[in-house]
Amino acid sequence: MLETIKKPFNYEGGAIRYAHEYPRRLRVCAVGAGRHPYFNTLPVLRFAPVDLVGISDLNEERAEAAARAFGATKAYTDHREMFAAERPEAVFIVTSYDKDGRSPGTQIALDAIAAGANVWMEKPTGVSVHEIEEIKAAADAAGKTVMTGLKKMFTPGVERVKEIISNGEFGTPASITVRYPQIIPPMEERGDLHAVYGLLDHIWHPMATILHLMGTVDKFTYEWEPKSQSSILLLRFASGAIGTLHFAAGISGSSPLERVEVVGQNANVVLENGVDLTYYRPSPGPDYGGASYLVPTESAALTWSPEFSHGALFNNGNFLLGYFNEINQFCHSVLAEEPVTKGTLDQCLEIIRIFEAIRTHPSGVFIDLKGDSVK
Ligand SMILES: NC(=O)c1ccc[n+]([C@@H]2O[C@H](COP(=O)([O-])OP(=O)(O)OC[C@H]3O[C@@H](n4cnc5c(N)ncnc54)[C@H](O)[C@@H]3O)[C@@H](O)[C@H]2O)c1
């Protein structure tokens, strides 16, 4: 019931508001009306403090259909015309790749900043350190927020892992392993953006998890297997912790994509498939000389799994996968005139540095990421 909603921007553990219930809403436009916005990002706007006034897509039919479906007042085929006509406070950009393998979203973000808007955009923010630095310089000069939808930082599963590994009893997070299926093509092909399309499109997901949980990667090396084009990256974090990112190309289509495990001191936490969470709390092990495998109840593992009986928001993919949280954080940060803390341009720079390093360094060498560029 509306009367029970006390705090205007509080949704954690409480009711989620409909867009129209917010007393102050951002005037927003969306650029791109392809699959991802239709499935995920535009539906989420129903729960964010926004008033969607325009949608543009190069494909007029898509723009008009999305405008009708998601309640935008007007459809456009030219985003610059839309920005000039609608004067949005924020823009949501989801536009895929051009014929050169680059993201049109990079230039659209610059156009949005020039038009006076804050920006939420899908990855890839840019295809190089240079491109992302260009957006950062423009955003800083204009005093605008630019956030990339690094959804893995926002999933309830990863968020709970973060809470657990920060809770003191877990000890200092010492190591992490992340599994994500992804090919890296042979070295001689990596200069071509089309050849590294998959890596460019996906590296954001496992790296967002890793950065959020463990912080900055200082250096890394990797080994590469030519048949499957799978690889294993060995990471050293600024904190002193270590980790692996297993780009597990070759897993079965019937397999969930992801597995995350963080180990602390006499404690570890495992997130399977992004949703099934097990926290192995600090505990004595079973007695080797004893007859029972059962550890004490008070230190036994805790497990969580989503509930799929209710038609509730929390078991909806847009909530389980982080789309709601990322867009909601962006809107509330812009309204509060506060910087975003997740999906920042600095985090995007950390990720694109690793992408550039893999494109330019063969397997087997150690790559130092400290400083402004790959060394
Ligand atoms: N985070 C995630 O989980 C996730 C999932 C899927 C896709 N994505 C990202 O979303 C993006 C789009 O994916 P998609 O599946 O929607 O692609 P898509 O090919 O279905 O749609 C892309 C749309 O962008 C439009 N477009 C291109 N340039 C434009 C411009 N200058 N102005 C207006 N519209 C323009 C195209 O006409 C097309 O309709 C990609 O960058 C992809 O990486 C993210």
Side-chain angles (χ1 to χ4, degrees):
M1 280 180 15
L2 266 182
E3 300 73 56
T4 64
I5 301 172
K6 296 265 165 35
K7 297 183 193 162
F9 298 147
N10 176 39
Y11 59 88
E12 280 159 0
I16 286 176
R17 285 185 163 194
Y18 303 152
H20 74 268
E21 293 173 349
Y22 283 100
R24 163 84 171 96
R25 290 182 301 240
L26 291 170
R27 184 177 169 81
V28 305
C29 287
V31 184
R35 275 168 307 177
H36 181 42
Y38 217 87
F39 291 178
N40 303 313
T41 55
L42 289 170
V44 157
L45 296 183
R46 291 170 299 164
F47 305 108
V50 299
D51 188 9
L52 181 64
V53 290
I55 293 186
S56 81
D57 195 291
L58 299 177
N59 178 324
E60 188 173 5
E61 195 187 342
R62 279 189 181 181
E64 280 176 356
R68 273 197 306 278
F70 298 103
T73 324
K74 202 161 169 208
Y76 294 82
T77 53
D78 180 332
H79 67 271
R80 291 192 184 94
E81 188 194 318
M82 177 172 72
F83 296 164
E86 303 293 350
R87 312 303 306 171
E89 295 173 275
V91 171
F92 293 86
I93 304 168
V94 190
T95 53
S96 203
Y97 297 85
D98 66 17
K99 62 177 178 18
D100 300 322
R102 314 189 96 81
S103 168
T106 308
Q107 183 57 50
I108 297 168
L110 292 169
D111 294 341
I113 295 165
N118 299 281
V119 174
W120 178 95
M121 63 194 298
E122 257 306 340
K123 45 78 179 170
T125 320
V127 301
S128 64
V129 168
H130 173 74
E131 285 191 357
I132 298 178
E133 280 178 342
E134 210 180 337
I135 296 181
K136 188 166 156 55
D140 288 349
K144 295 296 169 193
T145 295
V146 176
M147 172 179 159
T148 299
L150 300 184
K151 67 176 179 182
K152 297 294 174 187
M153 296 188 174
F154 294 89
T155 70
V158 169
E159 279 295 29
R160 182 56 63 90
V161 172
K162 178 73 178 171
E163 258 174 64
I164 287 169
I165 68 174
S166 311
N167 74 4
E169 77 170 18
F170 189 83
T172 307
S175 59
I176 184 169
T177 56
V178 171
R179 196 277 296 274
Y180 194 95
Q182 179 57 52
I183 66 158
I184 297 179
M187 188 68 211
E188 59 276 14
E189 294 174 18
R190 294 181 205 163
D192 177 2
L193 271 178
H194 294 104
V196 290
Y197 156 77
L199 182 64
L200 173 62
D201 205 42
H202 296 139
I203 191 170
W204 311 87
H205 296 323
M207 279 312 305
T209 303
I210 290 170
L211 279 182
H212 186 46
L213 297 178
M214 306 299 281
T216 296
V217 177
D218 264 0
K219 56 184 178 177
F220 76 101
T221 186
Y222 68 99
E223 289 296 338
W224 180 79
E225 194 282 317
K227 233 183 202 162
S228 65
Q229 304 189 347
S230 61
S231 52
I232 294 182
L233 280 65
L234 175 61
L235 313 165
R236 168 70 75 176
F237 296 94
S239 69
I242 54 174
T244 59
L245 169 52
H246 182 188
F247 277 138
I251 62 167
S252 165
S254 67
S255 167
L257 304 193
E258 296 173 60
R259 177 177 299 134
V260 176
E261 178 163 17
V262 186
V263 181
Q265 272 90 50
N266 189 23
N268 53 312
V269 56
V270 179
L271 182 63
E272 287 281 0
N273 197 22
V275 290
D276 293 321
L277 183 60
T278 305
Y279 175 27
Y280 296 94
R281 296 184 282 174
S283 175
D287 181 0
Y288 190 67
S292 172
Y293 61 92
L294 295 165
V295 301
T297 303
E298 59 274 16
S299 61
L302 300 174
T303 67
W304 294 263
S305 193
E307 186 281 322
F308 284 111
S309 178
H310 292 114
L313 291 177
F314 56 73
N315 58 21
N316 177 309
N318 282 331
F319 289 77
L320 290 173
L321 273 61
Y323 299 124
F324 166 72
N325 283 342
E326 65 186 20
I327 283 179
N328 206 41
Q329 177 199 292
F330 168 76
C331 295
H332 289 305
S333 298
V334 170
L335 281 171
E337 298 183 20
E338 286 170 359
V340 291
T341 55
K342 295 188 283 186
T344 66
L345 287 168
D346 285 331
Q347 288 161 344
C348 293
L349 279 167
E350 293 198 42
I351 295 172
I352 209 72
R353 279 198 184 98
I354 292 176
F355 172 72
E356 281 196 345
I358 293 170
R359 285 186 83 189
T360 51
H361 292 67
S363 59
V365 300
F366 247 100
I367 302 158
D368 192 344
L369 294 162
K370 288 192 293 268
D372 287 332
S373 59
V374 174
K375 296 192 181 97

